[in-house]
Amino acid sequence: MTQFLFRDDAYLRECPATVTAVDERGFQTDATVFYPLGGGQPGDIGRFELEDGPEDARVVEITDTVKGDGPDGIIHKPGAGSALLKVGQHGILKLDWERRHRLMRMHTCLHLLSALVPFPVTGGQVSDGKGRLDFDMADQIPDKETLTAKLNALIQGDHAVTARWITDEELLNSPELVKTMAVKPPMGLGRVRLIEVVGIDRPLDLQACGGTHVGRTGEIGAVNVRKVENKGRQNRRVNIEFAA
Ligand SMILES: [Zn+2]
């Protein structure tokens, strides 16, 4: 069982860790700050710096992070040619923080986008520097310039982004909290995390989400709606990128 430290604090850049399992897929640890691919957000990259061992084998590059077997497993994928790890080895897991922070900013921006376009979200993807959401809509095609201006207004509003936990059962009784049906929040741990973008008298956005977010929308920085694509009769894809 791995402690998911990023769930409670997305700003942790590193943590001490002990190897608990190694197989052909990669290695697992007792705790990690590495987010595993899922919910439309890529897995983290970075490195594992070992406490001891031969001088030339103390750093293992991590090229991807994925979910393990079960809801509480996370597998770090070592780069080709890395030293083989053994269960019980200690070290420090260190994120590629610059990249992760860009992913957090874009991920949070997609929450704002989903709040501005009042249609069901059927899919989404965050990648380094850009992101997109697919909406189940036929006719009302959002205007790029208007959407860009509205997004940047919410970003400049510097709204707080907060998290709290509810039980799986409470979530099942409130289906409106799952906006992205194609990207279900992680369940099976007994509780799911609700992310709120705090508004003036009601939430700007409130939904179950397992990803990593910035603490205030101002941290996202200016964005552009790059294009709005027609992806079929009932599907409009809104693509976003950082302005700078
Ligand atoms: Zn999220």
Side-chain angles (χ1 to χ4, degrees):
M1 157 129 200
T2 307
Q3 256 191 296
F4 295 5
L5 300 174
F6 54 85
R7 282 274 161 79
D8 293 314
D9 185 358
Y11 286 87
L12 279 180
R13 301 174 186 206
E14 57 180 64
C15 70
T18 303
V19 177
T20 55
V22 183
D23 62 23
E24 69 289 350
R25 297 170 298 175
F27 67 96
Q28 302 191 46
T29 49
D30 58 341
T32 188
V33 290
F34 281 63
Y35 178 82
L37 167 73
Q41 187 177 326
D44 281 323
I45 62 175
R47 62 208 300 203
F48 186 38
E49 296 180 0
L50 291 162
E51 213 165 64
D52 44 35
E55 198 79 34
D56 59 349
R58 284 203 193 158
V59 174
V60 173
E61 298 293 335
I62 297 169
T63 55
D64 199 5
T65 308
V66 296
K67 287 176 182 158
D69 306 318
D72 55 5
I74 287 183
I75 296 171
H76 310 87
K77 293 193 166 290
S82 302
L84 210 57
L85 289 165
K86 289 197 278 291
V87 170
Q89 280 186 289
H90 300 275
I92 308 281
L93 282 168
K94 292 187 176 176
L95 282 181
D96 177 341
W97 170 250
E98 311 300 319
R99 173 180 179 272
R100 154 68 95 68
H101 190 233
R102 287 192 295 272
L103 295 173
M104 282 163 57
R105 288 162 57 208
M106 184 52 72
H107 180 127
T108 309
C109 184
L110 293 186
H111 280 256
L112 300 181
L113 176 64
S114 79
L116 286 173
V117 182
F119 289 88
V121 174
T122 53
Q125 180 68 51
V126 178
S127 48
D128 196 355
K130 55 189 186 176
R132 59 174 164 81
L133 285 181
D134 287 356
F135 294 95
D136 180 2
M137 61 160 85
D139 302 320
Q140 300 93 328
I141 299 166
D143 172 65
K144 249 175 35 170
E145 280 71 32
T146 312
L147 210 45
T148 295
K150 284 183 176 174
L151 269 177
N152 285 315
L154 288 182
I155 289 167
Q156 281 159 18
D158 201 26
H159 299 274
V161 181
T162 61
R164 62 179 185 273
W165 294 90
I166 60 170
T167 63
D168 282 1
E169 198 176 25
E170 285 172 281
L171 181 70
L172 291 171
N173 291 331
S174 315
E176 73 280 3
L177 294 176
V178 183
K179 273 201 188 168
T180 313
M181 293 318 290
V183 188
K184 288 230 177 70
M187 289 178 69
L189 291 167
R191 59 178 198 161
V192 286
R193 204 175 47 160
L194 274 189
I195 298 297
E196 175 173 351
V197 181
V198 179
I200 305 295
D201 41 16
R202 64 187 182 86
L204 277 170
D205 185 52
L206 179 64
Q207 58 179 299
C209 184
T212 58
H213 310 84
V214 292
R216 302 196 70 88
T217 61
E219 207 172 312
I220 296 168
V223 297
N224 278 323
V225 175
R226 197 161 51 92
K227 58 180 172 179
V228 180
E229 293 174 283
N230 190 346
K231 286 282 180 184
R233 203 159 54 86
Q234 281 283 110
N235 190 5
R236 297 291 176 271
R237 174 170 292 174
V238 180
N239 295 274
I240 293 181
E241 63 190 1
F242 291 127

